[in-house]
Amino acid sequence: MKQGTQGSAGTGTPRTRPAAAAGETRVPRQAGAVRGEHTHSEPPAPGAARSRPVVQRASVRGQILDALRAALVAGDLRPGEVYSAPVLGERFGVSATPVREAMQQLALEGAVEVVPNRGFRVVERGARELAELAEVRALIEVPVLLRLARTVPAERWAQLRPLAEATVRAASSGCRATYAESDRGFHRAVLSLAGNSQLVQVAEDLHRRAQWPLVGGGPGLRGRADLVADAHEHTALLDALIARDLEVVRALAGEHFAGAAGAG
């Protein structure tokens, strides 16, 4: 008679598991663990997934951060003015918490500074700072652009044509915030061809800071004509890159950053 490996309730023989195959490692399952879920020492809140509130909060904070950045570029948040998180929260229809978190991020970026018990003051910037930012951007981007002009094939540059044309449409709208986003998108795409994510990140940070308004500038610091002229430099630069005309590329890149320096 064959003996079974499983016991029965009548015999009291303990139930055994099949032995692990050679080379197989068994991972013990923690008590109460569910497949595909992380376990924590503290129990989850009843009736709610642990991760959902965090995801939702981060999403709201990100949307508020984008909205505040756009308001900053458009001049709706004026240099030198102090804004409180509760007041801005009412403006955006959210609580003060995601606004405060977004403003703290802007403080890390240097766009605002914390005013204890009052809120956040938009940093006052002058033309000299703008010129310094343009100089640093030129030192970083122009050499990379010239190197890419020698190596990137014309068809790859041609794929960026829609982004260059998008900057012209954005500039024609006269909305500084819309153009600022499109402008950064074009420069980001160009620099991404270098394959250096750190370069792209540093250049993006400098570019964003260069788009903040100057003291006394207000929303009309750069009018539609200025934005359109700046955007057309993108298309002209792309034409020179496709033609692999290094001298024109160098001249256009220099003019582009010189124009950014003198925008104030």
Side-chain angles (χ1 to χ4, degrees):
M1 179 182 296
K2 295 183 179 180
Q3 272 188 324
T5 58
Q6 296 182 349
S8 64
T11 63
T13 305
R15 184 182 301 270
T16 61
R17 295 177 180 270
E24 179 183 354
T25 302
R26 289 192 179 277
V27 179
R29 179 179 299 180
Q30 299 181 17
V34 180
R35 184 182 300 274
E37 294 182 351
H38 295 288
T39 58
H40 302 274
S41 58
E42 69 277 8
R50 293 183 56 82
S51 60
R52 284 192 61 187
V54 176
V55 172
Q56 290 177 347
R57 182 172 178 179
S59 175
V60 171
R61 180 180 57 193
Q63 294 176 40
I64 295 301
L65 179 59
D66 290 340
L68 289 172
R69 283 172 170 165
L72 186 68
V73 173
D76 295 335
L77 298 180
R78 302 181 66 84
E81 295 292 329
V82 177
Y83 298 90
S84 70
V87 171
L88 288 174
E90 292 181 4
R91 172 177 173 178
F92 293 113
V94 297
S95 69
T97 299
V99 175
R100 187 175 294 108
E101 292 173 344
M103 291 295 272
Q104 288 170 346
Q105 175 60 37
L106 289 178
L108 292 175
E109 297 174 4
V112 301
E113 56 188 9
V114 178
V115 181
N117 302 320
R118 292 186 60 195
F120 301 85
R121 177 186 291 112
V122 179
V123 171
E124 299 179 274
R125 303 166 58 246
R128 178 175 180 176
E129 182 179 346
L130 184 63
E132 290 174 348
L133 285 169
E135 181 180 5
V136 176
R137 288 185 62 207
L139 289 171
I140 292 176
E141 295 191 38
V142 173
V144 175
L145 191 60
L146 291 172
R147 175 166 59 85
L148 293 175
R150 297 184 181 95
T151 57
V152 175
E155 57 269 21
R156 186 66 186 90
W157 290 120
Q159 293 174 4
L160 302 185
R161 178 76 65 184
L163 291 177
E165 294 174 346
T167 65
V168 176
R169 291 193 299 272
S172 299
S173 72
C175 176
R176 291 177 57 204
T178 302
Y179 177 69
E181 183 176 355
S182 181
D183 184 24
R184 291 197 311 276
F186 175 77
H187 283 263
R188 186 189 312 119
V190 169
L191 294 177
S192 294
L193 296 178
N196 188 329
S197 61
Q198 298 300 317
L199 166 71
V200 174
Q201 182 177 346
V202 170
E204 174 105 355
D205 178 64
L206 291 170
H207 196 169
R208 190 186 300 278
R209 290 170 59 190
Q211 293 172 332
W212 299 337
L214 302 184
V215 175
L221 175 63
R222 300 187 72 187
R224 180 178 302 180
D226 297 320
L227 299 181
V228 171
D230 191 74
H232 278 300
E233 291 177 358
H234 295 151
T235 57
L237 178 62
L238 200 57
D239 290 338
L241 289 167
I242 292 173
R244 196 164 285 187
D245 191 332
L246 298 184
E247 290 304 316
V248 175
V249 169
R250 188 190 306 273
L252 286 173
E255 292 174 4
H256 191 63
F257 288 108

